[in-house]
Amino acid sequence: RLQYEARVERDARDYDAWFEYARLEEGAASAELAEARASASSPESFNLARASAESPAVARVREVYERAVAALPPTSTSASASSAGSEKRLWCRYVYLWIYYAVFEELVAGDSQRAVSVYRAALGVLMGLLEVFRDRASEREKERTSKN
């Protein structure tokens, strides 16, 4: 945990570190929920959503994902192909963080409402990003036509 904290503190956009950190915390949460399920008086009496809401391990997973998705990738309009490829890779990893977060909420934590909220938040971020890129593409097109 301390190693992952150090990595993401050094570079908040190290999405591989965020994935590894989230997996570590998810493992702890899964173990805690399995223990709670095993200690339930009967399988029918176990409520995954309630157990998740009360679980400190689930709260840690959520905190890791929230911090990870708060670290937006850059949106520069660099002409360099290598930097554009690097930026694209970062955005792909970032989108996967949102997806993994929603999947965790639905399948591990058993909170489908929260999973829907995560998906909606992801769409909100991505729609805003599309507007930024659309505006920048329009500006580049205007610059190009004014030069000719």
Side-chain angles (χ1 to χ4, degrees):
R1 193 173 284 145
L2 294 175
Q3 290 175 348
Y4 293 123
E5 278 295 331
R7 282 179 63 188
V8 298
E9 196 172 302
R10 261 192 318 275
D11 181 7
R13 292 176 178 158
D14 181 352
Y15 299 118
D16 292 328
W18 284 116
F19 277 113
E20 293 166 15
Y21 193 4
R23 275 194 293 267
L24 172 78
E25 295 296 355
E26 283 185 33
S30 293
E32 186 177 284
L33 293 172
E35 188 176 306
R37 178 177 280 128
S39 67
S41 57
S42 70
E44 296 81 26
S45 69
F46 180 74
N47 182 316
L48 178 59
R50 184 176 37 230
S52 295
E54 297 169 358
S55 166
V58 169
R60 282 193 307 273
V61 174
R62 289 175 174 152
E63 189 243 341
V64 167
Y65 276 119
E66 288 294 327
R67 289 173 49 212
V69 298
L72 285 163
T75 57
S76 68
T77 55
S78 171
S80 166
S82 63
S83 69
S86 175
E87 187 175 304
K88 183 178 178 181
R89 182 183 179 283
L90 286 174
W91 275 102
C92 287
R93 300 296 286 163
Y94 179 77
V95 168
Y96 274 107
L97 274 170
W98 279 105
I99 293 169
Y100 279 52
Y101 184 13
V103 168
F104 165 78
E105 288 295 350
E106 188 167 0
L107 300 181
V108 178
D111 192 338
S112 58
Q113 289 300 95
R114 193 165 181 142
V116 168
S117 294
V118 170
Y119 278 124
R120 286 189 176 141
L123 287 174
V125 169
L126 296 175
M127 294 307 289
L129 174 69
L130 285 176
E131 287 299 316
V132 168
F133 284 133
R134 199 174 291 135
D135 291 345
R136 288 185 179 172
S138 176
E139 288 172 16
R140 282 195 311 267
E141 183 63 28
K142 286 178 187 176
E143 288 174 9
R144 193 173 60 211
T145 55
S146 68
K147 288 179 183 178
N148 294 334

